Amino acid sequence: MTKYEKNKLTLRRWLLGASTVNKAYDTVNRAFDLAETRTVGFRKDKVTPNFNHPLEVTLYLTTLHHGLRNPVFCYAGALLHDVKEDFGVTDEDIAEKLAYLAPDVCKIVERLSKNSGIRKVVSLQEYFDAMLEDPASPIIKGADRVNNQGTMLGTFTPEKQMEYVEETDKYILPMLKKARKLYPDQESAIQNIRYVLSTQVSFVRAMHQKI
C-alpha cells in the first residue's frame, strides 16, 4: 500500500468513526468524495497524486481536533481548499454535495482562493487579511503552508523555497498571530501551526544560508 493509499484509508476511517458520534461528519465525507473526484493529476514531483495534498492537510488538522472551534468546517474546507482555484469546481458543485453546510464552506474556500473566477486578489495583504473573517480559514491556510513547505525540498528550486518561506514570514505568521487574538478558543491549534511554520522557515533559511 502506498503512502497516498494509506492517507486515504486513514482519513476515511477517521471521518466515518466521527460520523457515528456526530452526523455532521457525513457532510465532511461528502466533501472527501467531491475532492477526490475533482482533484485530479499529480503534484510537481509527477508521482504524488494531487489529492494527497488536501488529505495530508486534513490529517494534520485532525491532530489539532480539540483546539478547533468548528472541526467540521475546518475539515470540509481543507479537503476542498484548492478545488475552485485549481480544478474548476463551482459553488453549485459544492452545494449539491454539502447541502445546508455549503454556503459556509463555499465562503471558506473562496477566501482561500487567490483567483477562483469570482474574486481576484488585489494584493497578498488583502488575501491574508480576508482569511481573518472566519475562524476556519486561518487554520486551514496555516496547515496548507505547513504541508507545502514540508514537501517542497527536492521539488522546488532553492529560489522558490526561499520565496515560500519569506511569504510565510511576512504574511502567514502575522496573520496567524492576529487570528490567535480574534479566536482565542483556537489558541492551542494556532500556536501549534505557528511553531511548525517557524521551525520550517528557520530550517530552509539555514539550509540556504539565509538566516
Side-chain angles (χ1 to χ4, degrees), residues 73 77 80-82 84-85 91 103-116 118-121 123-138 140-141 175 183:
F73 286 153
L80 297 169
H81 75 274
D82 280 335
K84 279 188 174 185
E85 184 172 1
D91 285 350
D104 292 302
V105 174
C106 284
K107 287 178 183 176
I108 291 168
V109 175
E110 188 66 29
R111 290 187 185 106
L112 294 165
S113 303
K114 288 182 179 176
N115 183 3
S116 64
I118 298 173
R119 177 178 69 96
K120 290 182 174 60
V121 173
S123 69
L124 283 176
Q125 191 62 61
E126 176 193 80
Y127 172 58
F128 289 109
D129 284 346
M131 291 179 197
L132 296 168
E133 294 173 12
D134 74 88
S137 293
I140 296 167
K141 187 60 185 181
M175 180 266 292
Y183 309 109

Side-chain angles (χ1 to χ4, degrees), residues 142-160:
D144 170 56
R145 184 53 60 99
V146 165
N147 186 257
N148 281 328
Q149 290 184 167
T151 58
M152 68 183 181
L153 300 181
T155 302
F156 289 175
T157 65
E159 292 75 19
K160 187 66 174 178

Side-chain angles (χ1 to χ4, degrees), residues 38-102:
R38 301 296 291 272
T39 309
V40 297
F42 295 89
R43 302 285 282 169
K44 292 185 184 298
D45 63 6
K46 309 298 183 185
V47 175
T48 307
N50 273 325
F51 185 50
N52 192 61
H53 170 61
L55 283 176
E56 291 191 338
V57 173
T58 311
L59 282 167
Y60 173 40
L61 290 178
T62 64
T63 70
L64 308 177
H65 181 80
H66 295 293
L68 304 177
R69 177 181 295 188
N70 194 323
V72 168
F73 286 153
C74 285
Y75 302 149
L79 284 163
L80 297 169
H81 75 274
D82 280 335
V83 295
K84 279 188 174 185
E85 184 172 1
D86 295 337
F87 301 101
V89 172
T90 65
D91 285 350
E92 289 74 21
D93 295 326
I94 296 173
E96 184 178 347
K97 280 286 186 181
L98 273 60
Y100 71 98
L101 288 182

